[in-house]
Amino acid sequence: MRNMPAVLIVEDESAIAELIAVNLRHNGFRPRWAMDSDSAQREIDAGVPDLILLDWMIPGQYDGPALIRKWREAHEQAPILLLTARTSIGDRVKGLDAGADDYLTKPFAFSELLARVQALIRRATSAPETTRLSAGDVSLDLVTREVTVAG
């Protein structure tokens, strides 16, 4: 059995979330669903998925960009695709500046969403697994951003 990548769908509209989940499942993914920022955080705490599909306007303590910033500050590396009805260039820039890896507006064609999901996962899994760089006695941990000299 091949490894089925986990995708966390953070979407408060259940019909949209279910449509995405069913289509992802039929294309070899393991979708999980959170309907607000609090349940999204619980899902991340339970295990970081291979990809996050995140709506901008979700109920809870954080909106999409704030949640992205929170996760990035915690060094969460899962690719994040903002999936939102917000279509302005300013919103796109704000979302990408917050740390999103891609941005797709609603309504969308599932074929485009699937292509973007596959591309993001492909890029994430082809990234080098090295989290530490060393030169002589100096070592840098890329995740914690900690530098050590001679141990």
Side-chain angles (χ1 to χ4, degrees):
M1 177 184 220
R2 66 188 172 115
N3 185 18
M4 296 173 53
V7 177
L8 175 59
I9 303 163
V10 185
E11 170 63 62
D12 61 322
E13 294 185 41
S14 59
I16 293 173
E18 184 61 30
L19 178 66
I20 293 169
V22 165
N23 281 289
L24 286 175
R25 200 171 296 113
H26 286 290
N27 283 280
F29 296 92
R30 282 182 300 119
R32 296 168 20 203
W33 176 41
M35 63 184 312
D36 56 47
S37 65
D38 300 326
S39 59
Q41 185 60 57
R42 284 192 299 275
E43 287 288 332
I44 293 292
D45 292 342
V48 178
D50 296 296
L51 176 87
I52 301 167
L53 295 177
L54 177 63
D55 187 13
W56 185 305
M57 298 174 284
I58 53 173
Q61 185 175 359
Y62 300 98
D63 67 2
L67 202 50
I68 293 170
R69 282 189 294 277
K70 180 180 191 298
W71 289 335
R72 294 301 189 221
E73 287 171 5
H75 306 291
E76 298 300 349
Q77 299 300 314
I80 299 172
L81 189 154
L82 260 172
L83 187 59
T84 178
R86 298 179 76 130
T87 61
S88 77
I89 295 298
D91 287 335
R92 290 173 194 253
V93 169
K94 183 177 177 182
L96 293 169
D97 282 348
D101 297 284
D102 200 357
Y103 194 105
L104 184 61
T105 59
K106 297 175 187 175
F108 57 89
F110 185 76
S111 58
E112 181 179 7
L113 175 64
L114 180 61
R116 289 173 184 260
V117 164
Q118 291 170 332
L120 287 168
I121 288 178
R122 187 172 51 248
R123 278 187 228 128
T125 57
S126 68
E129 293 189 24
T130 303
T131 60
R132 184 172 290 280
L133 299 175
S134 298
D137 289 343
V138 179
S139 180
L140 168 66
D141 185 316
L142 298 173
V143 175
T144 64
R145 298 181 180 161
E146 185 176 277
V147 176
T148 55
V149 178

